[in-house]
Amino acid sequence: MKYWSEEIETMSRSEIEALQLKRLKTTLARAAHSPFYRELFRKNSINPEDIRSTEDLTYLPFTRKNDLRLSYPRGFLAVKEDEVVRMHASSGTTGQSTVIYHTAHDLNEWTDLVTRSLVVAGAGEKDVFQNMMSYGLFTGGLGLHYGAERLGMMVIPIGGGNTHRQIEFFRDFKTSVIHITPSYALHVSDVIKDMGLGPVDFNLRLMIFGAEPYSEATRDKLEASFRVRAFNCYGLTEMNGPGVAFECRQSEGMHVWEDNYLVEIIDPATGQPAGPGEIGEVVFTTLNREAMPLIRYRTRDLAQLFPETECPCGRNFRRLSRILGRTDDMLIVRGVNVFPSQIEHVLMKLPEVGTNYQIILNRVDNLDRMTIRVEIYGKMFHGEARELRLLRKKIQHELKEQILLSTEIELMEPGALPPSQGKAKRVFDNREI
Ligand code: DLL
């Protein structure tokens, strides 16, 4: 199967844009039913009917995560409470969590986007799908679950963790497609080796990665380890969850499902549109949501939109690069801007480096100090002290080339660092600022 919704997925640019405008108008009218947008429109004298083109959208203010927090629990709800059939909430590690509501229509459309995405990657009804992301308020569980069921795959709703059992299930149920965070996949690949197993023992043929930033070097490492192709799946709770953008088999960026989302890239400092192909913050407007429309929502994710719209896969939906970092995860170390993903890219390219690492920041005598704790492969670790010294120097050198900073490197035994079973926590910033 090449397409799930062929008519939609092969729309021309002019058809996509016409549909976007129609849906944008409906969305703005719906949004005006929520207390938040009613007040926002009133304060800024905005009349949704004045929006005549998708470009006019740039006259409207942004919506930020903090607006969702301040409007907790129901300030964005645009339908009657009894029309809501489910809610999800984002993790909310800091402050109030943010809640997203769905009507039956919203869930149906979201499921369709996920099913489409799975078909793009080449999954089909004969596949066995093991969903290794946690269920519950997090959208990686139920989001992929319903999409995979709609496609007709056999779904194993195992969730995250319990790694030995996951691997036994690979074998016993002939799992062919897995959905997993890349950091957990790194851990699973280690456990597979520890169990004396390898790719030939399984039936895996596709991996779907998402929910956290990772580097191309990590994907290469995992594809080599599992001997399976991996596809990138992007989304965020505020935009339903997974299924906002998905990589096709060309693997050159992720198609944004533009019939459901209007995407903009802005300069995060000024809020102005970024130039064609420039890196900036990704901003989305929902186009097909009833319970909780969101207008110009600032994701804080940094990426670029490729200017070309045609793709050999037959879809004309614009493509987003991988997420390069977040506006809020950029580290400033001795005045130098560094994204954790740059460090990961260097580490994962080195064959001696294992599957886990941490970035630790301290301030000593008023100076920032960055320490990288990195697991290395077992036989290296038990090698000679001289070899280890050389390896430490090599990592330091490669990092300096990439991030222009001197780092301290602590080489760790495999398994010494806490493994990830979902979204990894890698940065520990102990500086008091
Ligand atoms: O992580 C939704 C999701 C689940 C996406 C499963 C894909 C697969 P949140 O918990 O709200 O939702 O976190 C959203 O995670 O703003 C990005 O910073 C990051 N993220 C999600 N997918 C990717 C990806 C889900 N493919 C936040 N690459 C987003 C890089 C990603 N970062």
Side-chain angles (χ1 to χ4, degrees):
M1 192 190 306
K2 201 169 166 215
Y3 302 105
W4 178 250
S5 312
E6 183 164 356
E7 216 175 296
I8 302 173
E9 289 177 61
T10 56
M11 279 193 299
S12 67
R13 278 313 296 173
S14 58
E15 286 168 329
I16 295 172
E17 282 155 24
L19 180 63
Q20 285 190 317
L21 181 58
K22 183 167 151 241
R23 288 187 165 174
L24 178 61
K25 289 181 175 171
T26 316
T27 296
L28 295 175
R30 272 192 197 133
H33 292 289
S34 74
F36 177 86
Y37 285 117
R38 193 183 313 126
E39 181 57 16
L40 187 84
F41 292 172
R42 193 192 59 76
K43 257 199 328 226
N44 295 282
S45 309
I46 295 164
N47 181 355
E49 282 163 25
D50 292 342
I51 302 292
R52 301 241 153 74
S53 71
T54 49
E55 285 78 46
D56 285 351
L57 189 66
T58 53
Y59 298 121
L60 301 185
F62 294 113
T63 305
R64 290 182 165 78
K65 179 110 181 158
N66 207 35
D67 297 319
L68 297 183
R69 288 207 180 107
L70 294 174
S71 306
Y72 178 89
R74 272 178 288 275
F76 275 85
L77 191 58
V79 294
K80 292 199 199 77
E81 277 176 52
D82 57 10
E83 287 178 56
V84 173
V85 297
R86 198 196 300 161
M87 62 166 266
H88 279 278
S90 70
S91 36
T93 38
T94 51
Q96 190 74 60
S97 61
T98 52
V99 182
I100 305 295
Y101 298 99
H102 301 277
T103 63
H105 158 273
D106 296 341
L107 289 184
N108 184 48
E109 296 296 315
W110 175 23
T111 297
D112 236 41
L113 295 183
V114 174
T115 312
R116 260 191 223 176
S117 305
L118 290 166
V119 171
V120 172
E125 60 185 0
K126 293 201 173 62
D127 279 301
V128 175
F129 178 75
Q130 192 160 322
N131 195 4
M132 301 169 71
M133 287 215 194
S134 68
Y135 278 67
L137 290 172
F138 175 58
T139 55
L142 290 177
L144 259 285
H145 180 100
Y146 286 111
E149 267 188 10
R150 184 165 290 179
L151 180 53
M153 300 200 265
M154 177 173 107
V155 178
I156 307 177
I158 187 165
N162 215 338
T163 308
H164 278 90
R165 192 161 186 228
Q166 300 270 9
I167 296 167
E168 283 158 19
F169 274 26
F170 286 176
R171 216 177 32 193
D172 298 346
F173 299 104
K174 298 192 169 48
T175 300
S176 54
V177 182
I178 59 173
H179 177 224
I180 185 167
T181 60
S183 60
Y184 186 36
L186 286 166
H187 176 61
V188 172
S189 76
D190 280 349
V191 179
I192 288 175
K193 283 190 200 113
D194 290 349
M195 289 167 78
L197 299 170
V200 289
D201 297 299
F202 310 121
N203 210 27
L204 291 178
R205 64 179 203 94
L206 292 175
M207 300 188 285
I208 315 283
F209 288 162
E212 63 183 6
Y214 61 105
S215 70
E216 207 53 55
T218 302
R219 184 205 328 236
D220 291 346
K221 187 171 186 134
L222 285 166
E223 286 189 334
S225 168
F226 283 90
R227 284 198 223 135
V228 164
R229 239 180 113 174
F231 289 85
N232 197 3
C233 169
Y234 168 73
L236 56 157
T237 313
E238 296 88 327
M239 292 294 127
N240 294 344
V244 173
F246 203 93
E247 211 166 35
C248 67
R249 296 190 73 83
Q250 310 300 320
S251 294
E252 277 165 30
M254 301 177 283
H255 288 285
V256 177
W257 296 125
E258 289 181 280
D259 56 326
N260 275 254
Y261 303 98
L262 219 151
V263 57
E264 299 171 69
I265 304 286
I266 61 158
D267 174 339
T270 63
Q272 292 305 308
E278 253 174 42
I279 296 173
E281 181 176 348
V282 186
V283 172
F284 287 115
T285 299
T286 63
L287 292 176
N288 196 13
R289 224 164 51 178
E290 291 178 343
M292 199 165 153
L294 287 179
I295 300 165
R296 303 195 82 205
Y297 183 73
R298 290 186 64 157
T299 62
R300 298 186 285 184
D301 289 326
L302 295 169
Q304 66 193 118
L305 258 185
F306 298 132
E308 320 75 51
T309 51
E310 273 176 32
C311 180
C313 79
R315 295 172 185 84
N316 298 306
F317 293 94
R318 280 186 299 173
R319 279 163 296 140
L320 200 60
S321 68
R322 72 168 46 253
I323 304 300
L324 304 165
R326 287 176 57 82
T327 53
D328 50 3
D329 77 6
M330 187 180 78
L331 305 167
I332 304 181
V333 183
R334 280 173 255 142
V336 179
N337 299 348
V338 189
F339 285 103
S341 56
Q342 290 175 288
I343 297 176
E344 175 171 315
H345 191 68
V346 172
L347 296 178
M348 291 299 145
K349 267 203 312 210
L350 297 170
E352 301 89 343
V353 164
T355 53
N356 209 348
Y357 68 95
Q358 289 181 340
I359 302 167
I360 296 144
L361 292 161
N362 285 304
R363 183 157 289 170
V364 182
D365 297 334
N366 289 320
L367 265 187
D368 292 338
R369 183 174 291 175
M370 184 188 260
T371 306
I372 315 288
R373 287 195 183 136
V374 52
E375 287 184 10
I376 55 170
Y377 278 119
K379 59 177 188 315
M380 264 320 282
F381 196 81
H382 298 294
E384 283 181 39
R386 186 171 160 275
E387 270 179 47
L388 293 179
R389 214 172 36 242
L390 287 177
L391 176 59
R392 206 176 297 128
K393 279 226 150 62
K394 177 175 169 186
I395 300 176
Q396 253 164 352
H397 173 77
E398 298 283 326
L399 281 170
K400 181 105 194 228
E401 294 267 289
Q402 173 78 24
I403 61 172
L404 311 174
L405 278 171
S406 303
T407 48
E408 294 189 14
I409 308 295
E410 286 179 22
L411 301 179
M412 318 282 288
E413 222 172 333
L417 297 172
S420 160
Q421 299 193 334
K423 290 186 194 246
K425 175 160 172 56
R426 306 238 193 239
V427 180
F428 297 84
D429 193 344
N430 307 319
R431 296 172 298 177
E432 278 173 21
I433 299 175

